Amino acid sequence: MYILGLSSYSHEAGCALVKDGVIRVILEEERFNREKHTWKFPRNAIAACLDYEGITINDIDHFTFFWVPFREVYGNLVHVLKYFPRSLNLLKAPSGSEDLSFFSRVKLMNNAGTRIQDEFQLAKAPKVHFVEHHLCHAASAFYVSPFKEAAILTIDGRGESTSTMMSVGQGKKITKVKEIKTPHSLGHLYASVTDYLGFRPFFDEWKVMGLSAYGKDTYVKDFEDITRFTERGEYRLNLKYFKFHTHGQAAWVSDLFLKKFGPKRDYHDEYEQKHFDIAYALQKIVEKTGVYLARYLESVTGMPNLCMTGGVVLNCLMNKRIIEETDFKDYFIQPIANDAGTTLGSALYYYHHVLEQPRDYLFDTAYWGITYANDEIEKVLRAKGVTYRRSENIAKDTACHIADGKIVGWFQGRMEAGPRALGNRSITVNPARADMKDRLNARVKKREFYRPFAPSVLEEKCSEYFIMPKEQLSPYMILIGDVREEKKSVIPAVTHADGTARVHTVNKDVNPLYWELISEFEKITGVPVLLNTSFNENEPIVCTPEHAVNCFLRTEFDVLAIGDFLAVKS
Ligand SMILES: [Fe+2]
């Protein structure tokens, strides 16, 4: 039985193809239309999915969707009445995306079946099963986790109206325990401060997390007044500090917030210590809230394991604290924690919860994208006039270039699903050289100085370099570890200002070629670690050989290792 899960008309539009409860392909539309976090209907992603599997749209048994539009209409109606008349501003504000209003978005979502019919020229519109957003998130983690039963915590900006959900997964069923509704939202708290600090909400939260490592505890008490806990496992934002609940994305923080913390930073303004301190205070309150929620869930469910996902769970620092400060026996974090993961979640929820089909599948890889054969790659290299050679041992040859201080684009196998490059669409450099971070930024990535780069480490060598929370591995780069004191000077390019690193542990069986690359690098340098960042330059991660070659030619890369081919710039 094929189920195609879809997300669209919000951020991270995409699709997931599931066959008999087993993932086949997960793709985001942004990789094809080249618009970061695109909301547009995932026509290209669906077509690529079907093509990869060798089926047509007629072979799909069920279509599922990551949102229930009518639930949002009801939730918003209640919300508008509660905050009337200021809430009337919401009717004019962008919704889910800068290009969409609330009404147009709901209409588009509701007509998802017709859109599939039009795009794929079907005789009639297929029935689409709409699944609640946070149930999609929860399903995307629990059903592919190794646990028969688990507590589930999902935290994001908002779904139809829910921003945080606690639930319990047992066998085929997921049961809600508690929901926290917008405007009380950790995701929107983070988005508000992201906007205040001069960045794009829902895009640049990474920057705020990076800034926080340079901050001091000047404003921690103030942020504790902004986010308060109830005794029933809930948190409440002090709405006096915000405007988003009445003005939407047009205005995030209130005059009181500005009075307390000073004027909003413009994107081009110089950084002041205050900005780092505000990011620090925000980060601390988000971590504290995450721990509070997880502990409550632990106490009321008594479940042995915890599954987590949702956009806020991309906050690896919070995840680290949750693991360190709760007593669950084991943890599973769905790495496709943004809304791209809800495509999978809606399909799995329908398959297991609604159709009551058995579970026997474990999530053990994130390589769910498209792959390209050597002859396809070579055609592109020739067409673009790139000088290249075929390598007999691509891992060994590439490792020599990395050790030599070169910036290398590494394009191999199936593309990763989710926001992280995990060694198949990656740029890698030598982490032992302190100057490589600045060099990489100046020549390719153009990132701000305070944003860290992550290490990929051979799984078996992880504990030599990093102290991981409860010795958890981090195969999907969704956990922070502390760099061991004696290793900070060994891998300076991937050690953040606060002594942490967002670790990617590489397993030999899961990604043998990338493991081989790191291993060859270790033979030359003695260091079983590579700096790993996504293969892109201010754009979605490259998907096709053409994207990769274009990026290589456009930027100041030194080397492109693509399939079995090696191109070296003179
Ligand atoms: Fe979400």
Side-chain angles (χ1 to χ4, degrees):
M1 179 195 300
Y2 278 114
I3 303 180
L4 189 68
L6 302 173
S7 72
S8 188
Y9 313 123
S10 181
H11 33 79
E12 291 109 29
C15 65
L17 183 65
V18 173
K19 184 183 184 187
D20 300 329
V22 176
I23 305 172
R24 301 296 302 163
V25 192
I26 304 175
L27 287 170
E28 273 184 68
E29 183 67 11
E30 66 157 31
R31 306 291 164 93
F32 298 92
N33 74 7
R34 312 306 292 156
E35 288 177 19
K36 249 184 172 180
H37 307 295
T38 191
W39 58 267
K40 290 178 182 155
F41 185 81
R43 198 219 177 279
N44 298 299
I46 296 171
C49 244
L50 299 173
D51 188 48
Y52 185 87
E53 187 68 5
I55 59 172
T56 73
I57 198 87
N58 296 306
D59 295 312
I60 302 297
D61 298 289
H62 299 284
F63 294 88
T64 58
F65 197 76
F66 80 128
W67 201 273
V68 184
F70 278 115
R71 282 186 83 94
E72 187 183 2
V73 172
Y74 173 75
N76 281 6
L77 195 63
V78 172
H79 181 94
V80 167
L81 291 174
K82 191 169 176 186
Y83 299 101
F84 189 82
R86 287 183 303 146
S87 53
L88 289 175
N89 290 294
L90 290 168
L91 302 179
K92 294 178 285 183
S95 172
S97 151
E98 286 161 10
D99 305 332
L100 287 175
S101 71
F102 165 66
F103 292 112
S104 53
R105 194 163 58 80
V106 166
K107 195 172 159 203
L108 284 166
M109 284 180 164
N110 219 31
N111 292 335
T114 316
R115 185 65 188 263
I116 297 167
Q117 179 190 13
D118 293 346
E119 292 286 357
F120 294 92
Q121 280 121 43
L122 295 174
K124 61 175 189 159
K127 181 172 174 48
V128 174
H129 306 280
F130 296 96
V131 182
E132 254 184 83
H133 187 67
H134 271 261
L135 285 173
C136 294
H137 274 308
S140 75
F142 173 64
Y143 288 127
V144 295
S145 77
F147 312 134
K148 280 197 178 111
E149 50 178 23
I152 313 168
L153 179 59
T154 56
I155 316 173
D156 66 2
R158 63 173 289 180
E160 295 85 353
S161 63
T162 299
S163 68
T164 302
M165 189 175 86
M166 298 181 190
S167 56
V168 162
Q170 286 172 303
K172 301 170 197 166
K173 296 289 180 184
I174 293 176
T175 313
K176 290 182 192 174
V177 173
K178 183 180 282 290
E179 288 175 272
I180 299 170
K181 306 263 181 179
T182 184
H184 305 290
S185 159
L186 271 195
H188 284 179
L189 168 65
Y190 222 99
S192 298
V193 179
T194 300
D195 179 71
Y196 170 79
L197 290 172
F199 307 119
R200 281 182 78 183
F202 306 128
F203 272 71
D204 293 336
E205 276 73 359
W206 314 109
K207 297 185 182 180
V208 179
M209 208 166 102
L211 282 178
S212 73
Y214 294 83
K216 297 195 297 281
D217 61 0
T218 321
Y219 299 112
V220 169
K221 282 264 173 304
D222 296 304
F223 271 74
E224 281 173 358
D225 182 47
I226 289 174
T227 312
R228 297 168 181 174
F229 302 143
T230 72
E231 284 173 11
R232 303 177 308 278
E234 294 171 17
Y235 61 89
R236 291 276 176 272
L237 296 187
N238 186 343
L239 294 174
K240 287 183 198 154
Y241 288 97
F242 301 99
K243 247 178 162 174
F244 68 81
H245 57 299
T246 53
H247 290 67
Q249 295 178 37
W252 287 91
V253 298
S254 71
D255 292 346
L256 178 65
F257 191 101
L258 298 174
K259 201 172 152 195
K260 187 134 201 154
F261 300 105
K264 185 175 175 304
R265 179 181 170 270
D266 183 76
Y267 179 74
H268 298 289
D269 289 350
E270 291 293 316
Y271 292 102
E272 297 168 28
Q273 186 58 42
K274 183 182 83 171
H275 301 132
F276 297 111
D277 295 350
I278 289 169
Y280 178 91
L282 168 72
Q283 183 58 41
K284 290 298 154 201
I285 197 67
V286 167
E287 291 169 19
K288 191 174 171 181
T289 310
V291 170
Y292 170 75
L293 295 169
R295 276 189 182 156
Y296 177 85
L297 186 54
E298 187 177 18
S299 70
V300 294
T301 65
M303 282 283 154
N305 308 301
L306 177 66
C307 294
M308 294 198 292
T309 191
V312 175
V313 173
L314 292 171
N315 192 310
C316 321
L317 288 163
M318 181 189 76
N319 300 343
K320 175 177 187 272
R321 289 270 309 269
I322 289 176
I323 292 176
E324 284 172 344
E325 296 178 37
T326 55
D327 293 320
F328 289 102
K329 229 168 58 197
D330 205 356
Y331 301 82
F332 176 75
I333 305 173
Q334 167 53 261
I336 318 170
N338 59 9
D339 281 1
T342 59
T343 60
L344 171 65
S346 68
L348 292 178
Y349 186 85
Y350 191 74
Y351 187 72
H352 295 299
H353 188 100
V354 178
L355 299 180
E356 301 198 313
Q357 294 298 309
R359 295 169 57 196
D360 57 3
Y361 170 70
L362 284 185
F363 192 93
D364 58 3
T365 171
Y367 306 108
W368 295 117
I370 304 293
T371 188
Y372 297 87
N374 274 325
D375 56 344
E376 292 174 277
I377 293 170
E378 193 165 20
K379 252 187 229 162
V380 176
L381 288 167
R382 279 200 189 128
K384 299 272 177 188
V386 177
T387 308
Y388 65 92
R389 71 175 176 87
R390 186 184 276 267
S391 167
E392 293 303 314
N393 187 334
I394 193 76
K396 192 173 178 182
D397 289 348
T398 306
C400 289
H401 286 293
I402 300 171
D404 203 24
K406 299 287 194 291
I407 298 173
V408 175
W410 176 257
F411 181 106
Q412 306 289 344
R414 291 185 77 175
M415 182 173 65
E416 302 85 346
R420 301 277 173 243
L422 299 169
N424 280 7
R425 298 290 185 278
S426 289
I427 296 172
T428 73
V429 303
N430 184 343
R433 283 181 48 167
D435 63 326
M436 284 314 295
K437 186 180 161 185
D438 291 341
R439 207 154 160 241
L440 184 56
N441 268 332
R443 295 177 59 181
V444 183
K445 296 294 284 190
K446 314 282 180 347
R447 279 186 181 181
E448 298 81 357
F449 74 91
Y450 52 79
R451 291 183 65 192
F453 285 109
S456 292
V457 58
L458 298 181
E459 186 182 291
E460 49 275 53
K461 301 285 173 78
C462 179
S463 61
E464 285 179 27
Y465 279 76
F466 307 100
I467 303 165
M468 300 301 291
K470 289 193 185 149
E471 298 178 359
Q472 291 272 322
L473 293 171
S474 181
Y476 311 112
M477 211 192 268
I478 203 154
L479 270 185
I480 293 277
D482 293 311
V483 182
R484 288 193 181 278
E485 202 52 49
E486 68 277 17
K487 297 296 186 189
K488 285 178 181 168
S489 59
V490 181
I491 48 170
V494 291
T495 302
H496 198 27
D498 56 3
T500 64
R502 197 179 61 218
V503 177
H504 169 213
T505 48
V506 181
N507 180 286
K508 190 176 184 178
D509 297 327
V510 173
N511 193 338
L513 188 60
Y514 193 50
W515 187 94
E516 192 69 30
L517 177 69
I518 305 173
S519 189
E520 289 292 341
F521 179 77
E522 185 190 19
K523 283 181 198 162
I524 304 167
T525 62
V527 178
V529 181
L530 286 179
L531 182 154
N532 169 22
T533 185
S534 50
F535 195 149
N536 58 353
E537 181 219 16
N538 281 325
E539 61 182 329
I541 297 175
V542 299
C543 171
T544 66
E546 194 163 14
H547 299 153
V549 172
N550 286 345
C551 187
F552 172 66
L553 294 175
R554 193 175 66 234
T555 61
E556 295 180 61
F557 270 70
D558 300 304
V559 176
L560 176 63
I562 181 165
D564 283 344
F565 305 105
L566 207 55
V568 181
K569 275 186 190 159
S570 53

